[in-house]
């Protein structure tokens, strides 16, 4: 067939070689999506720069590579993952660990918290809660242009499942630690499904780590359903080594009067692309989308945001910031779609970036499509250096140039961090970002890989 | 402590200061007045170490050291303070963190240990009371969302924290209502000791009702054209600057 790129062909081949094994370990309902998704992937392919949403990101750096394995687990793989402990003090969470996208515990793959919330393996949930899965799985992760979403649907078999029943307010967040570890270059995919029913409140922290010095590619899809009057927050803390590539696609579907926030804290990683889709599907829903990206060396961080105002009187606000050092590059692409019925929409977008060297590069692109009349909408993007006047102000108080630069960068980043609602985590992020800006954090404290 | 000799400076090739000489002794308050565009703020910038001003001639010695050879931060650590005409807003940097860094960098410079957290907060509290600054301001980001008056009070608060030997206040009175003006002036008077000095740059005599100068200079077209006692300020208030301009022009013609 014409038009299929060489790199796409690799993944078609991968599918053909692994699909029997994948299907044998997955639930029939999840399997029922694979064939159509595969066809759609074949049609769309691995996104190239011709794809408007990937114009500034060269995926071939990681996709055009022969990964020795497509990861499917055996029991012994999980020993290290089980031993992993998050070192954030005072952070009280319900912890979960995924190893290369799989829920590791061999027994008890799904359990219920005292509040009635279920957390555990998606694959297990598909067997235990077929009705819930049939109602929500594959309903929100839709894309007419991004082949990677379909590649995930075609092949992913496990990930995190969360079910928060009606009116349950979980005060403690759930923390998912995504570990990537293998002895050879590996491609992983996982699939998460989070269901937050009417009136419920739930927050989740997703931390990404790499544990061995191999080349890794992860392509993850998360679907989130947020019911009427429900609250949902997701915070990603991305800290992977330079030979790792992370692609995340997060689809948040909101009903009436719901409030959600998404915050992507990207501290480290070779190539990271976060696509965050906010669908405002009921009146007076609110969506807040934040991101902070710190990069150096040859790193590349790309944030794509898509806010779909499909109902009247909804509010959305995007704030994304980047600090780019050395030869690193970045991209921001923020789309706001206001549909004809979505009167009374308020939609805001801000993207500010600081380039610390002449070699760093940032591409930023707002994309507004407004089909309603009664709309308040604003967007602004800046790419610049540190403010000279502010530098002098600090220096005139006896603060050295180096420290003044750090303070300004930190202040710049803190505007994103301050939106984190969980205090110990906010402090921890302040701390990590400070370390990162000082050049002390070339890897996460818990990481054994010296990739810096 | 400060000895300026024949200082000439330009910005982007345009000559602004055309030969200034000024001598400040410990404990003195000097007022520098003059019409807009006469070079007052440029002089303040040169003394604080702003890099966009090119020094073309002259010397500035500060306690016997070559001030012009020192970086802005070293000048600050050696006791020079500039009160900004337009204080800068720095979102995301808290006042507490800002002041803690500034105070401790200065202590380090003088071979002292950093203040403990509790000693630092105690110092903050004392100085806040001294300059009557709202407690809440100190918990916010530097100058962010402050009113004009709050920004100027914040300058005086920072001055109180850093205890300079030589403070240069660049039009600290501009944009202040009479109450804020009094608070700022009182702050200065409380910080004033027998051995620290002030250079107060202002357009108006009003501030000098509260901060009484020992010497008043008039700066016009990049030169100090008149130096006298505090009564000069009153004369300027009554007669404006035109008679000075005429005097200068007549001198040039003669």
């Amino acid at each position: 067939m014409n038009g299929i790129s060489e790199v796409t062909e690799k993944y078609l081949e991968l599918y053909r070689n692994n699909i029997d094994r994948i299907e044998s370990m997955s639930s029939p309902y999840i399997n029922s999506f694979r064939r159509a998704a595969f066809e759609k992937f074949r049609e769309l392919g691995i996104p190239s720069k011709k794809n408007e949403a990937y114009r500034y990101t060269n995926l071939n750096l990681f996709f055009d590579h022969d990964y020795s394995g497509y990861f499917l687990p055996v029991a012994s793989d999980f020993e290290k993952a089980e031993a992993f402990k998050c070192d954030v003090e005072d952070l009280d969470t319900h912890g979960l660990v995924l190893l290369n996208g799989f829920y590791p515990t061999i027994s008890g793959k799904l359990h219920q918290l005292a509040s009635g919330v279920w957390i555990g393996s998606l694959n297990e949930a598909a067997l235990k809660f077929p009705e819930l899965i049939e109602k929500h799985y594959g309903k929100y992760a839709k894309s007419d242009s991004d082949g990677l979403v379909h590649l995930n649907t075609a092949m992913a078999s496990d990930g995190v499942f969360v079910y928060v029943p009606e009116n349950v307010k979980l005060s403690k967040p759930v923390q998912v630690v995504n570990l990537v570890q293998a002895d050879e270059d590996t491609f992983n995919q996982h699939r998460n499904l989070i269901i937050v029913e009417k009136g419920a409140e739930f927050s989740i922290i997703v931390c990404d780590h790499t544990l061995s010095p191999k080349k890794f590619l992860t392509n993850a899809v998360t679907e989130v359903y947020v019911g009427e009057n429900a609250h949902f927050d997701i915070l990603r803390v991305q800290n992977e080594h330079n030979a790792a590539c992370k692609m995340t696609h997060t689809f948040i579907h909101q009903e009436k009067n719901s409030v959600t926030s998404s915050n992507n804290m990207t501290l480290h990683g070779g190539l990271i692309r976060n696509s965050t889709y906010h669908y405002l599907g009921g009146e007076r829903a609110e969506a807040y989308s934040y991101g902070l990206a710190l990069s150096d060396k040859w790193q590349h961080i790309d944030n794509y945001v898509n806010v779909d105002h499909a109902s009247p009187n909804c509010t959305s606000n995007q704030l994304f910031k980047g600090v780019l050092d050395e030869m690193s590059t970045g991209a921001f692409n923020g789309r706001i779609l206001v549909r004809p019925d979505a009167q009374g929409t308020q939609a805001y977008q801000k993207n500010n970036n600081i380039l610390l060297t002449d070699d760093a590069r940032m591409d930023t692109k707002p994309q507004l499509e407004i089909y309603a009349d009664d709309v308040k909408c604003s967007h602004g993007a800046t790419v610049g250096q540190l403010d000279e006047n502010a530098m002098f102000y600090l220096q005139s108080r006896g603060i050295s140039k180096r420290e003044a630069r750090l303070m300004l960068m930190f202040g710049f980043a803190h505007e994103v961090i301050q939106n984190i609602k969980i205090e110990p985590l906010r402090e921890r992020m302040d701390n990590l970002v400070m370390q990162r800006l000082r050049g002390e954090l070339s890897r996460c404290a818990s990481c054994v890989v010296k990739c810096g | 402590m400060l000895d300026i000799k024949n200082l000439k400076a330009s910005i982007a090739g345009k000559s602004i200061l055309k030969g200034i000489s000024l001598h400040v002794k410990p404990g003195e308050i000097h007022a520098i007045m003059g019409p807009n565009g006469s070079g007052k703020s440029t002089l303040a910038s040169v003394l604080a170490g702003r890099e966009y001003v090119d020094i073309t001639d002259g010397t500035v010695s500060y306690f016997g050291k070559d001030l012009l050879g020192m970086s802005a931060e070293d000048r600050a650590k050696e006791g020079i303070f500039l009160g900004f005409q337009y204080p800068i807003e720095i979102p995301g940097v808290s006042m507490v963190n800002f002041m803690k860094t500034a105070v401790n960098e200065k202590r380090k410079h003088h071979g002292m240990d950093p203040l403990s957290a509790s000693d630092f907060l105690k110092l903050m509290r004392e100085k806040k009371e001294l300059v009557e600054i709202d407690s809440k301001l100190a918990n916010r980001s530097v100058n962010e969302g402050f009113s004009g008056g709050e920004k100027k009070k914040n300058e005086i608060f920072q001055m109180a924290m850093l205890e300079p030997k030589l403070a240069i206040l660049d039009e600290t009175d501009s944009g202040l209502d009479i109450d804020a003006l009094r608070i700022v002036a009182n702050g200065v008077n409380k910080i004033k000791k027998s051995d620290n000095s002030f250079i107060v740059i202002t357009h108006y005599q009003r501030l000098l009702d509260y901060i009484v100068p020992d010497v008043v200079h008039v700066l016009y077209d990049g030169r100090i054209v008149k130096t006298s006692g505090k009564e000069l300020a009153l004369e300027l208030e009554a007669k404006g600057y035109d008679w000075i301009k005429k005097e200068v022009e007549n001198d040039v013609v003669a």
Side-chain angles (χ1 to χ4, degrees):
Chain A
M1 200 171 132
N2 281 335
I4 294 180
S5 68
E6 223 173 279
V7 55
T8 299
E9 194 56 59
K10 280 186 207 268
Y11 293 86
L12 295 172
E13 184 71 18
L14 188 76
Y15 174 89
R16 292 186 197 105
N17 292 341
N18 288 282
I19 190 64
D20 290 346
R21 258 168 84 213
I22 290 168
E23 290 200 329
S24 70
M25 53 196 293
S26 306
S27 83
Y29 188 73
I30 290 177
N31 283 339
S32 72
F33 283 78
R34 300 195 189 283
R35 193 72 219 169
F38 174 73
E39 289 306 326
K40 192 77 185 166
F41 169 68
R42 181 153 65 181
E43 179 195 321
L44 295 170
I46 301 293
S48 72
K49 288 190 163 193
K50 285 184 201 141
N51 183 327
E52 197 56 31
Y54 283 89
R55 200 168 144 195
Y56 304 110
T57 296
N58 180 9
L59 293 184
N60 281 352
L61 290 173
F62 279 88
F63 278 83
D64 192 4
H65 179 76
D66 291 315
Y67 293 93
S68 344
Y70 180 72
F71 183 78
L72 295 168
V74 293
S76 61
D77 291 328
F78 292 127
E79 282 164 22
K80 249 193 188 142
E82 299 252 283
F84 187 89
K85 292 274 179 291
C86 177
D87 69 343
V88 180
E89 283 170 32
D90 307 323
L91 179 62
D92 190 13
T93 61
H94 301 286
L96 286 179
V97 177
L98 287 190
L99 176 65
N100 300 351
F102 284 83
Y103 194 86
T105 321
I106 304 309
S107 58
K109 275 177 166 263
L110 195 60
H111 63 283
Q112 192 171 25
L113 305 174
S115 53
V117 172
W118 285 93
I119 57 176
S121 145
L122 173 69
N123 197 34
E124 193 73 9
L127 302 171
K128 194 169 169 119
F129 301 112
E131 279 176 23
L132 276 179
I133 297 295
E134 284 176 31
K135 193 172 165 199
H136 296 288
Y137 182 86
K139 299 296 182 289
Y140 316 116
K142 289 187 173 148
S143 177
D144 292 333
S145 59
D146 193 337
L148 295 178
V149 175
H150 301 285
L151 180 62
N152 180 282
T153 307
M155 296 179 74
S157 39
D158 201 7
V160 171
F161 170 81
V162 178
Y163 179 68
V164 190
E166 253 183 63
N167 297 319
V168 170
K169 295 176 171 61
L170 196 63
S171 51
K172 248 202 252 188
V174 164
Q175 183 187 20
V176 178
V177 178
N178 281 320
L179 300 180
V180 180
Q181 183 181 36
D183 297 330
E184 47 190 21
D185 296 357
T186 304
F187 173 46
N188 304 302
Q189 299 199 89
H190 58 277
R191 178 79 169 219
N192 306 316
L193 177 62
I194 298 167
I195 302 162
V196 185
E197 295 281 22
K198 209 193 265 185
E201 285 179 20
F202 176 68
S203 63
I204 189 165
I205 307 162
V206 183
C207 303
D208 296 338
H209 298 286
T210 38
L211 295 187
S212 55
K214 291 290 168 187
K215 188 159 178 161
F216 294 121
L217 172 58
T218 304
N219 180 43
V221 170
T222 302
E223 289 184 285
V224 186
Y225 170 83
V226 185
E228 250 180 73
N229 295 307
H231 286 232
F232 169 73
D233 300 304
I234 181 167
L235 171 68
R236 292 181 186 282
V237 182
Q238 299 178 313
N239 205 349
E240 299 195 324
H241 63 55
N242 287 337
C245 170
K246 186 111 202 172
M247 313 290 297
T248 74
H249 316 263
T250 306
F251 296 84
I252 304 172
H253 174 100
Q254 289 186 239
E255 296 288 349
K256 210 159 75 176
N257 294 319
S258 60
V259 182
T260 68
S261 77
S262 156
N263 201 333
N264 299 327
M265 293 276 160
T266 309
L267 299 178
H268 210 275
L271 192 162
I272 290 179
R273 154 77 174 216
N274 296 308
S275 304
T276 313
Y277 297 80
H278 300 267
Y279 181 80
L280 297 164
E283 277 205 63
R284 291 176 302 278
E286 296 174 30
Y288 299 88
S289 204
Y290 306 110
L292 175 66
L294 309 179
S295 60
D296 59 15
K297 302 198 178 72
W298 295 96
Q299 296 172 346
H300 179 83
I301 302 169
D302 177 353
N303 271 294
Y304 173 82
V305 184
N306 187 320
V307 181
D308 187 346
H309 280 266
S311 310
N313 302 312
C314 292
T315 302
S316 68
N317 199 343
Q318 305 171 38
L319 174 65
F320 283 77
K321 291 194 166 199
V323 180
L324 296 90
D325 202 353
E326 297 176 322
M327 307 76 83
S328 65
T329 52
F332 173 77
N333 191 336
R335 179 170 184 251
I336 298 172
L337 168 63
V338 181
R339 293 183 188 265
D341 295 340
Q343 301 297 353
T345 288
Q346 297 191 48
Y348 308 104
Q349 179 186 98
K350 218 166 91 172
N351 175 233
N352 304 121
N353 304 284
I354 293 178
L355 303 182
L356 297 175
T357 66
D358 291 341
D359 296 326
R361 182 187 163 90
M362 180 73 200
D363 288 290
T364 172
K365 194 175 72 146
Q367 197 184 338
L368 277 62
E369 292 170 43
I370 299 171
Y371 301 104
D373 329 310
D374 178 16
V375 171
K376 274 189 199 151
C377 211
S378 75
H379 66 94
T382 59
V383 178
Q385 281 83 42
L386 290 172
D387 179 0
E388 284 290 319
N389 289 322
M391 278 293 290
F392 179 70
Y393 192 70
L394 295 177
Q395 285 173 266
S396 78
R397 300 305 183 240
I399 296 170
S400 70
K401 205 166 202 162
R402 188 186 129 82
E403 198 65 27
R405 272 169 68 97
L406 276 170
M407 286 179 88
L408 291 184
M409 287 191 281
F410 178 77
F412 179 81
H414 185 75
E415 283 199 295
V416 177
I417 299 171
Q418 70 189 7
N419 296 298
I420 299 173
K421 292 173 194 154
I422 305 156
E423 200 185 332
L425 200 64
R426 190 167 61 235
E427 282 168 16
R428 167 69 166 187
M429 284 315 301
D430 271 345
N431 235 317
L432 280 176
V433 165
M434 198 47 157
Q435 281 182 47
R436 176 70 167 105
L437 293 172
R438 280 184 194 280
E440 291 163 3
L441 187 78
S442 54
R443 63 194 177 91
C444 177
S446 349
C447 178
V448 295
V449 181
K450 291 191 170 56
C451 69
Chain B
M1 62 162 60
L2 183 75
D3 202 12
I4 305 175
K5 280 189 183 140
N6 191 33
L7 181 67
K8 293 181 182 171
S10 61
I11 296 175
K14 187 172 183 282
S15 170
I16 310 283
L17 301 181
K18 300 171 180 174
I20 290 196
S21 296
L22 180 67
H23 187 70
V24 180
K25 294 198 193 87
E28 286 183 345
I29 298 180
H30 287 239
I32 296 183
M33 303 182 74
N36 282 330
S38 56
K40 301 189 300 292
S41 288
T42 302
L43 177 61
S45 295
V46 168
L47 295 178
R50 197 82 220 233
E51 281 171 359
Y52 67 74
V53 186
D54 299 317
I55 313 293
T56 51
D57 200 6
T59 58
V60 180
S61 111
Y62 173 68
F63 287 106
K65 286 183 197 158
D66 171 21
L67 186 75
L68 301 177
M70 291 160 74
S71 67
E73 56 263 35
D74 284 343
R75 295 179 200 201
K77 287 186 279 201
E78 287 288 332
I80 287 187
F81 179 90
L82 173 65
F84 281 62
Q85 185 179 0
Y86 303 109
I88 311 293
E89 296 193 15
I90 310 182
V93 175
S94 71
M95 274 304 297
V96 174
N97 194 18
F98 171 44
M99 277 294 101
K100 196 190 275 174
T101 308
V103 167
N104 284 334
E105 291 241 337
K106 185 172 176 181
R107 290 178 67 88
K108 193 165 97 189
H109 182 75
H110 293 286
M112 294 154 84
D113 288 335
L115 282 181
S116 71
S118 64
D119 284 347
F120 175 76
L121 291 175
K122 196 167 147 241
L123 182 69
M124 286 270 286
R125 223 172 15 246
E126 278 170 27
K127 302 296 183 182
K128 271 190 287 197
E129 280 168 21
L130 186 73
V131 298
E132 300 173 53
I133 188 173
D134 186 346
S135 243
K136 285 182 203 122
L137 290 187
N139 297 329
R140 285 161 53 182
S141 291
V142 179
N143 291 324
E144 192 188 27
F146 287 24
S147 71
E150 285 168 343
K151 283 181 183 170
K152 295 299 175 74
K153 277 195 239 172
N154 192 20
E155 294 293 290
I156 302 302
F157 167 67
Q158 293 171 41
M159 180 169 77
M161 289 292 291
L162 294 170
E163 298 181 328
K165 290 178 191 151
L166 172 66
I168 303 145
L169 303 181
D170 187 6
E171 299 201 21
T172 301
D173 52 337
S174 66
L176 289 188
D177 62 33
I178 198 76
D179 292 328
L181 185 74
R182 200 175 293 135
I183 290 172
V184 164
N186 284 342
V188 170
N189 288 329
K190 283 177 191 160
I191 293 160
K192 179 80 193 68
K193 292 187 198 121
S194 62
D195 60 347
N196 58 4
S197 308
F198 288 81
I199 296 176
V200 180
I201 294 173
T202 180
H203 271 297
Y204 307 107
Q205 188 268 337
R206 202 175 59 161
L207 179 66
L208 305 179
D209 284 343
Y210 300 99
I211 305 173
V212 181
D214 299 296
V215 190
V216 177
H217 308 273
V218 178
L219 191 61
Y220 176 64
D221 191 25
R223 291 184 186 88
I224 289 175
V225 295
K226 206 164 187 68
T227 296
S228 187
K230 64 186 173 202
E231 66 285 352
L232 177 59
L234 292 167
E235 199 175 351
L236 288 169
E237 182 77 0
K239 294 159 67 178
Y241 289 111
D242 281 353
W243 63 280
I244 298 249
K245 292 183 192 172
K246 280 200 186 99
E247 265 190 29
V248 172
E249 279 149 23
N250 288 341
D251 281 355
V252 172
V253 173

